[in-house]
Amino acid sequence: QVQLVESGGGLVQAGDSLRLSCKASGRTISSNTMGWFRQFPGKERDFVAAISRYGSTTYAADSLKGRFTISRDNAKNTVYLQMNSLKPEDTAVYYCASGPAGMIPGNQYHYAYWGLGTQVTVSS
């Protein structure tokens, strides 16, 4: 069993940056694909970014490439999401997820473990 706890969300202004963290406990996530998703009110979760187990490969939603970057520190059992040039439309709850290596990173149904999410609000 893996427990995931997101942190780093908050209220920021348009153009600001935030770094979200996802700390895992229960067992190591070093062999897992890790992902970030976000959810707008009344909508399903959207894929944001994912990273392979050793960090050699990263994936990001096309619309977010260049602004959002995922990284991981397996020694700390932690995954990060660096978000730059934030826009009001980035306002959402951001979730961290963990899944098996080799899965389709953008498919939320392939992830076995989820955090409770952290709210990011970007004001104009």
Side-chain angles (χ1 to χ4, degrees):
Q1 194 82 357
V2 176
Q3 293 81 41
L4 302 172
V5 178
E6 303 93 340
S7 62
L11 173 63
V12 297
Q13 292 189 332
D16 286 350
S17 297
L18 272 179
R19 189 175 81 154
L20 305 183
S21 298
C22 172
K23 174 70 175 176
S25 61
R27 70 175 196 222
T28 178
I29 56 168
S30 61
S31 60
N32 290 15
T33 296
M34 299 297 296
W36 285 96
F37 288 77
R38 65 185 182 181
Q39 189 169 24
F40 305 107
K43 304 287 187 179
E44 282 207 355
R45 288 173 184 166
D46 289 339
F47 172 69
V48 173
I51 188 166
S52 61
R53 53 183 174 170
Y54 299 124
S56 57
T57 306
T58 60
Y59 312 84
D62 288 342
S63 62
L64 300 177
K65 288 178 181 176
R67 291 198 302 125
F68 287 19
T69 303
I70 189 171
S71 61
R72 68 190 298 163
D73 185 339
N74 284 342
K76 295 182 179 179
N77 232 23
T78 301
V79 179
Y80 305 97
L81 182 68
Q82 178 67 42
M83 305 186 294
N84 298 328
S85 302
L86 283 162
K87 305 175 181 180
E89 51 264 41
D90 293 319
T91 295
V93 178
Y94 285 73
Y95 295 90
C96 174
S98 177
M103 54 173 281
I104 299 174
N107 188 329
Q108 63 171 316
Y109 299 107
H110 288 193
Y111 289 85
Y113 302 103
W114 291 83
L116 295 180
T118 185
Q119 175 71 46
V120 172
T121 303
V122 184
S123 65
S124 57

